[in-house]
């Protein structure tokens, strides 16, 4: 007789076995939003989805072919936990060519996405009670990754007036004796904010006074910089700061390779070695054929990256113009990434057609899903309200349809 193990709710026994650190965190809001959209679409509803943080185009054909050839040539076995030599050399050349960073091979490590490498860096360095300075708005996973490693995320709100960026004064005030890391994300998810060289040098001046604070810089969106904006790596600006900086990147966004799960990082050899040890005891290594495709992507002609950036810029310009035309919404133009972070304070306090009052950006996001069939993320999840996050990694047609729906729903508010 078979025993049924089905059921969506955790049993009392399952809850009892869970650790305190797991109980303290929540599922990723962006993943939860994607699940909700999938459910609504499965019910036959026509949803315009602005939640997805990945390029909507396929991985370029020449990169796919490199992966296929790797499979055919027998690259299907375990690799070194830190990455294949071919990929490490490609990463090394990329850092030199594009970022002015000269890492030895022993200073480089590959992981199953940039996300794993950030988590692994915290696992290798954060002890109970250590603090990680997280500027807000932040990518939703940052604070929970700190909590999962028994650290304390120190959230520092960064206002729209400051371009949603950490200022020297805010950084200085956030540093304590327990500060272990400051986390920078440039260009940023969710705001698209990009730190200029002058802004990074100003932060360096503060960090020089606090040599116990390390810098983790997430540069996964570096190629998505628009107009005159230029990405700069903080580790390239100061030799001393470089000795306590971990630079995180990957192939997911620039090459539309989110599902391939390949990230890479460069930093001090001792830290990188420790991260490699942790990876060897957790995931072992990135799939060999995926590493081969990533190495080819980094080394081959980069025209596909420039083409994608131009496409995203056109989408950015269109969505900003359409959102700013809607009464109650104000949308700053992001310098990079593929997100906008419009303010919706002009909608707070208004009434929906069924008499409900919109009291928060979460209420606004749910109203747009119910009334307009448009899925967006609430700013509360990213640490700064009242804002929404919309991804423009979708077609111009979908941007226009979605914004028209939002406009109609906003016009129906009392």
């Amino acid at each position: 007789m078979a025993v049924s193990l089905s059921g969506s709710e955790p049993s009392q026994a399952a809850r009892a076995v869970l650790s305190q650190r797991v109980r303290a965190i929540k599922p990723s809001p962006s993943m939860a939003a994607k699940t909700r959209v999938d459910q609504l679409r499965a019910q036959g509803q026509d949803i315009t989805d602005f939640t997805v943080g990945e390029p909507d185009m396929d991985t370029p054909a020449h990169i796919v072919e490199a992966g296929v050839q790797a499979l055919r040539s027998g690259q299907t076995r375990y690799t070194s936990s830190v990455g294949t030599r071919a990929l490490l050399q490609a990463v090394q050349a990329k850092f030199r060519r594009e970022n002015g960073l000269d890492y030895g091979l022993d200073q480089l490590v590959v992981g199953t996405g940039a996300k794993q490498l950030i988590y692994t860096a915290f696992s290798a360095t954060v002890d109970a009670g250590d603090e990680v300075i997280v500027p807000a708005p932040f990518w939703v996973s940052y604070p929970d990754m700190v909590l999962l490693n028994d650290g304390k995320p120190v959230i520092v709100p960064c206002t729209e007036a400051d371009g949603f960026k950490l200022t020297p004064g805010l950084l200085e005030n956030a540093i304590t004796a327990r500060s272990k890391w400051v986390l920078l994300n440039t260009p940023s998810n969710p705001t698209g904010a990009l730190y200029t060289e002058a802004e990074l040098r100003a932060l360096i001046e503060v960090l020089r006074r606090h040599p116990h604070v390390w810098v983790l810089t997430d540069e996964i969106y570096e190629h998505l910089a628009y107009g005159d904006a230029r990405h700069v790596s903080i580790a390239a600006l100061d030799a001393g700061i470089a000795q306590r900086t971990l630079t995180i990147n990957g192939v997911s966004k620039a090459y539309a390779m989110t599902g391939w799960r390949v990230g890479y990082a460069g930093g001090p050899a001792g830290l990188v070695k420790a991260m490699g040890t942790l990876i060897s005891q957790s995931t072992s290594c990135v799939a060999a054929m995926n590493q081969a495709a990533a190495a080819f992507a980094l080394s081959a002609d980069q025209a596909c990256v420039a083409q994608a950036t131009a496409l995203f810029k056109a989408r950015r310009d269109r969505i900003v113009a359409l959102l700013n035309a809607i009464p109650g919404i104000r949308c700053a133009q992001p310098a990079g990434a593929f997100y906008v972070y419009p303010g919706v304070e002009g909608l707070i306090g208004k009434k929906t057609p069924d008499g409900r009052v919109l009291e928060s950006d979460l209420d606004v996001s749910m109203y747009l899903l119910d009334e307009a069939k448009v899925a967006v993320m609430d700013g509360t999840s990213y640490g700064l309200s009242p804002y929404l996050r919309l991804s423009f990694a979708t077609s111009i047609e979908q941007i226009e349809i979605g914004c028209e729906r939002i406009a109609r729903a906003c016009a129906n508010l009392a």
Side-chain angles (χ1 to χ4, degrees):
M1 179 178 176
V3 177
S4 174
L5 297 177
S6 63
S8 59
E9 294 299 321
S11 67
Q12 184 175 354
R15 286 194 295 269
V17 78
L18 297 178
S19 68
Q20 289 295 330
R21 69 175 64 90
V22 168
R23 296 181 193 181
I25 68 165
K26 58 187 181 301
S28 165
S30 53
M31 289 294 99
K34 185 181 187 304
T35 299
R36 178 63 175 153
V37 170
D38 290 343
Q39 291 171 341
L40 292 173
R41 285 176 170 168
Q43 296 169 10
Q45 296 193 38
D46 176 20
I47 306 295
T48 302
D49 186 8
F50 289 133
T51 68
V52 180
E54 65 176 344
D56 59 319
M57 64 280 291
D58 292 334
T59 303
H62 64 291
I63 299 174
V64 173
E65 183 59 27
V68 171
Q69 290 301 322
L71 285 167
R72 288 174 174 161
S73 65
Q75 296 184 51
T76 58
R77 300 181 181 275
Y78 292 128
T79 76
S80 165
S81 293
V82 296
T84 64
R85 185 172 183 84
L87 179 51
L88 294 175
Q89 289 176 329
V91 170
Q92 181 184 55
K94 182 269 178 218
F95 272 135
R96 287 173 177 167
R97 180 180 71 245
E98 297 183 349
N99 304 104
L101 298 171
D102 191 10
Y103 291 117
L105 292 182
D106 63 339
Q107 294 179 284
L108 301 173
V109 59
V110 173
T112 50
K115 191 172 190 176
Q116 184 199 21
L117 294 172
I118 297 169
Y119 183 91
T120 302
F122 290 152
S123 294
T125 60
V126 174
D127 290 315
D130 284 347
E131 297 174 354
V132 176
I133 298 169
V134 182
F138 47 72
W139 180 41
V140 292
S141 293
Y142 291 148
D144 282 337
M145 285 195 281
V146 176
L147 289 171
L148 275 170
N149 287 288
D150 298 326
K152 176 184 177 182
V154 176
I155 308 302
V156 180
C158 301
T159 66
E160 186 176 350
D162 289 324
F164 300 117
K165 290 181 276 191
L166 186 67
T167 65
L170 290 173
L171 174 59
E172 185 76 60
N173 291 336
I175 293 174
T176 72
R178 295 303 305 268
S179 300
K180 181 65 68 77
W181 291 95
V182 58
L183 203 161
L184 299 178
N185 179 205
T186 177
S188 160
N189 175 5
T191 67
L194 186 150
Y195 287 83
T196 66
E197 180 175 336
E199 289 167 338
L200 292 175
R201 289 191 181 279
L203 295 178
I204 286 172
E205 290 302 313
V206 176
L207 292 166
R208 283 175 176 160
R209 297 193 289 271
H210 303 278
H212 67 291
V213 181
W214 283 49
V215 181
L216 192 154
T217 175
D218 180 354
E219 303 181 0
I220 192 72
Y221 294 97
E222 70 160 319
H223 289 105
L224 303 180
Y226 309 118
D228 295 331
R230 293 292 180 270
H231 170 78
V232 179
S233 294
I234 191 171
L237 300 179
D238 184 275
I241 296 299
Q243 295 304 310
R244 47 188 167 112
T245 295
L246 183 69
T247 304
I248 303 281
N249 212 318
V251 298
S252 293
K253 313 300 183 180
Y255 303 97
M257 294 178 69
T258 53
W260 297 76
R261 307 312 304 136
V262 183
Y264 55 86
L271 172 59
V272 166
K273 182 179 179 181
M275 292 172 65
T277 299
L278 286 173
I279 290 171
S280 75
Q281 296 288 13
S282 55
T283 55
S284 294
C285 62
V286 178
M289 68 292 297
N290 296 12
Q291 292 190 63
F296 184 78
L298 292 171
S299 306
D301 187 290
Q302 300 296 295
C304 61
V305 178
Q307 291 166 1
T309 301
L311 181 63
F312 284 126
K313 180 182 181 300
R315 294 172 174 183
R316 177 204 66 169
D317 294 347
R318 188 61 177 146
I319 197 170
V320 168
L322 291 172
L323 289 174
N324 277 323
I326 301 172
I329 296 180
R330 183 194 66 260
C331 186
Q333 180 169 275
F338 41 61
Y339 308 102
V340 287
Y341 202 66
V344 292
E345 62 267 27
L347 301 179
I348 304 300
K350 293 195 172 186
K351 285 187 178 181
T352 66
D354 61 2
R356 289 178 293 117
V357 176
L358 300 178
E359 297 180 349
S360 68
D361 51 28
L362 179 57
D363 288 345
V364 173
S365 68
M366 293 309 298
Y367 170 69
L368 293 179
L369 184 58
D370 293 339
E371 178 76 10
K373 305 304 178 188
V374 175
V376 301
M377 297 297 300
D378 60 282
T380 301
S381 295
Y382 296 88
L384 193 69
S385 301
Y387 292 88
L388 302 175
R389 190 204 76 163
L390 287 76
S391 167
F392 53 87
T394 188
S395 68
I396 290 284
E397 178 185 14
Q398 285 300 302
I399 288 171
E400 292 177 344
I401 291 171
C403 288
E404 181 182 359
R405 291 178 174 183
I406 293 173
R408 286 201 306 266
C410 290
N412 289 334
L413 293 169

